[in-house]
Amino acid sequence: VTQADLLELHRIESARTPEQVAKAMADDKNESIFIFQALMGEAFTAAKLPLTAALSAKLNNDESVTTAPAKNGFKRVRPYNLDKTLHPVCTTKTKNDSYPSGHTTTGYLMALALIDMVPEKRDAILARADDYANNRLICGVHYPSDLQASKLVAYSMHAVMGTNPKYRKELGAARLELQRVLGLATPTN
């Protein structure tokens, strides 16, 4: 699997454009729900949506707490540390913690929470989450199989979090705030 992943990373590296690199580098610096601003509009900011920002910070923390044991257990060598002929364009590490991808897990977890708040934008939100995950490959800092595992982790986390009354309350408050600030239809559930 790793050899196939490395071949794919070389293919991606040889085909990536300056525009893709710029977008991947921007995504590398942002692990918040506000990666979806282009879909949600200019008002979709932490300053205008403090409850949404707080939910985002909680989700980011939960991702880290959840993925850290797996990262420490698998100790997967980063692709650029295993294959020195790769040329990553984003932040690199010497720590062996490639699997699963924290950014990818965060991206999908934020997407699923946002879909709970704005279900009518589901397809666009999921497409952006896929793009955010793919940017880890454009960056050259993760393997494709890291991303696959991360997506499964995020969906599992979201399912479990949905059973937590405190999370549901925080999500509901953020949803109402988002609906009000963005002038969207009032949620039905």
Side-chain angles (χ1 to χ4, degrees), residues 17-99:
T17 66
E19 294 80 17
Q20 288 174 314
V21 168
K23 189 171 178 186
M25 291 174 73
D27 279 354
D28 185 51
K29 296 174 184 151
N30 188 356
E31 287 187 82
S32 77
I33 202 164
F34 301 103
I35 62 172
F36 298 96
Q37 184 181 36
L39 300 175
M40 303 306 297
E42 291 298 316
F44 191 68
T45 66
K48 292 183 181 177
L49 298 162
L51 296 176
T52 304
L55 178 66
S56 176
K58 181 186 180 325
L59 292 170
N60 195 311
N61 180 68
D62 289 349
E63 171 277 316
S64 182
V65 168
T66 301
T67 61
K71 285 177 168 289
N72 291 331
F74 286 105
K75 291 182 174 34
R76 190 174 195 189
V77 178
R78 294 277 176 162
Y80 51 83
N81 289 331
L82 183 63
D83 181 342
K84 299 296 186 183
T85 66
L86 288 169
H87 304 94
V89 294
C90 297
T91 306
T92 60
K93 300 173 162 184
T94 56
K95 186 176 182 183
N96 296 332
D97 67 347
S98 187
Y99 184 90

